[in-house]
Amino acid sequence: MEHYTKTLTPAQRAKATAKAPGLAGRRKLNHQQRRARVAWVLVAPAMILLAAVAGWPLLRTLFYSLTDAALDAPHEYNFVGLANYLELTDSGAYGVLADPLWWQAVGNTLWFTGVSVSLELVLGMLLALLMNQTFRGQGLVRTAILVPWAIPTIVTAKMWGWMFHDQFGVVNDLLLRVGLIDQPLAWIASPSLSMWAVVMADVWKTTPFMALMLLAALQLIPKDLYEAARVDGANAWVIITRIFAPIMGPSLVTTGLLAFIGAWNEFMFALTFVISSGKRTVPVAIGMFQGASQYELPWGSIMAASVVVTLPIIVLVLIFQKRIVSGLTSGAVKG
């Protein structure tokens, strides 16, 4: 090789040297391609299962939302385009997006989700900070706190429904004993109170799960960082903004997204169906259920409503994947 390079002219030697990085780059690229191929092979079974369980029903729902199919004859249909979503005629607007009851149900769901998720994040963070301290019986507390989350949602709803009973419920009994009310409140019968009853039931059930999620993130922060910051004279605000917030930020976003999805789904049926009552507290899923079973609405309209309900979750997940996951990946690459 040395004899060969000596016979080359300076220009030929420079050209041969310039080709070397390209060959190394191609070898590296081929190695990356092999790793990507192996990764796809490993992920393929899960992706196929996910497509069968979630993707196919979603596509079927989207398909039927564009038809006039009926529940008793789903195979007899005609394509109507976006008429189930919104149709403007000379006599007025029709479709899911033109129904005032639909928008009222969406408002109920959004109100419940925003209030419950906010309370769960605050209470979950406080519980996580408390459990992150060293004390006797720490393991028992961390195990026992999962009990509310482990109880099935329908059991939780029935239990809280009895607790909020206007005559025999423990909530009214406690409030009467401490003198906060002078007569029993109709928690379930009153639309405004039943909304808060559902919020309290959901917060009681979901806060422990969020606390453990945030506790896991808290334990990733080395205690040496806090000690070094205190030695350097950093105050509490600097520690929170420079150490706590950057590390806990992605975990808070992830936990908040999971809480949003859980609150949206739970309020959509189980908790509200058992605890609350009245049109002012009906969420979108119960509206669809009643429309299909009681009011015999067209099946295509129910499917259109299902698609509209699913869109916020899909959009949030896509935003989360693009902004949060990509940011973490780029940060890891830079590091």
Side-chain angles (χ1 to χ4, degrees):
M1 183 66 180
E2 182 180 357
H3 174 73
Y4 173 74
T5 54
K6 286 182 178 180
T7 60
L8 296 177
T9 64
Q12 291 174 337
R13 191 180 299 112
K15 185 176 181 181
T17 306
K19 289 182 178 180
L23 295 174
R26 282 196 291 271
R27 287 195 296 269
K28 184 178 180 181
L29 181 62
N30 291 334
H31 177 66
Q32 291 177 351
Q33 289 177 345
R34 288 195 297 271
R35 292 186 62 184
R37 190 178 296 114
V38 173
W40 276 110
V41 171
L42 295 175
V43 174
M47 296 296 294
I48 294 174
L49 180 62
L50 182 63
V53 174
W56 175 245
L58 184 60
L59 291 177
R60 293 276 291 181
T61 301
L62 180 61
F63 171 79
Y64 278 117
S65 70
L66 304 175
T67 68
D68 60 352
L71 181 60
D72 55 350
H75 299 293
E76 300 177 3
Y77 57 82
N78 297 308
F79 285 98
V80 297
L82 300 177
N84 291 322
Y85 296 91
L86 182 63
E87 184 180 13
L88 301 177
T89 63
D90 296 336
S91 57
Y94 299 94
V96 174
L97 299 179
D99 188 356
L101 293 179
W102 160 262
W103 287 110
Q104 184 177 3
V106 171
N108 293 336
T109 306
L110 290 175
W111 184 91
F112 166 82
T113 304
V115 174
S116 62
V117 171
S118 300
L119 292 175
E120 289 161 8
L121 279 174
V122 173
L123 296 176
M125 192 73 251
L126 293 176
L127 286 175
L129 291 171
L130 179 62
M131 291 187 296
N132 195 38
Q133 305 300 318
T134 302
F135 56 91
R136 183 177 298 178
Q138 186 181 51
L140 179 61
V141 172
R142 293 179 181 179
T143 303
I145 201 173
L146 270 178
V147 172
W149 178 73
I151 297 176
T153 304
I154 191 67
V155 176
T156 299
K158 197 65 179 177
M159 179 177 64
W160 279 88
W162 276 106
M163 291 173 63
F164 283 116
H165 195 277
D166 56 345
Q167 297 297 327
F168 311 108
V170 66
V171 175
N172 277 336
D173 182 67
L174 290 176
L175 294 177
L176 288 171
R177 288 177 182 272
V178 298
L180 294 179
I181 58 176
D182 54 0
Q183 60 181 359
L185 299 177
W187 290 92
I188 298 177
S190 174
S192 58
L193 292 178
S194 61
M195 287 287 286
W196 284 106
V198 179
V199 166
M200 285 186 277
D202 183 69
V203 169
W204 178 83
K205 177 177 175 58
T206 311
T207 298
F209 172 74
M210 298 185 67
L212 290 181
M213 290 279 291
L214 296 174
L215 175 63
L218 277 174
Q219 294 188 336
L220 294 177
I221 305 177
K223 294 183 178 179
D224 296 341
L225 291 179
Y226 294 114
E227 296 176 358
R230 293 190 185 98
V231 170
D232 292 338
N235 54 26
W237 177 251
V238 173
I239 293 176
I240 292 174
T241 56
R242 299 298 179 87
I243 299 177
F244 183 82
I247 298 178
M248 289 296 298
S251 299
L252 284 170
V253 173
T254 304
T255 308
L257 177 63
L258 293 175
F260 177 86
I261 296 174
W264 185 274
N265 292 332
E266 287 181 1
F267 182 67
M268 283 175 62
F269 201 88
L271 287 176
T272 314
F273 190 79
V274 176
I275 296 178
S276 66
S277 61
K279 292 184 178 180
R280 290 182 58 186
T281 57
V282 169
V284 288
I286 291 184
M288 292 186 294
F289 171 75
Q290 292 176 344
S293 61
Q294 300 178 12
Y295 307 128
E296 298 181 356
L297 294 178
W299 186 242
S301 299
I302 304 301
M303 293 297 100
S306 301
V307 172
V308 176
V309 167
T310 310
L311 284 179
I313 302 299
I314 296 177
V315 171
L316 280 176
V317 171
L318 292 177
I319 294 175
F320 169 78
Q321 181 181 9
K322 183 176 181 180
R323 297 292 178 88
I324 304 301
V325 177
S326 299
L328 292 176
T329 305
S330 62
V333 172
K334 292 178 181 178

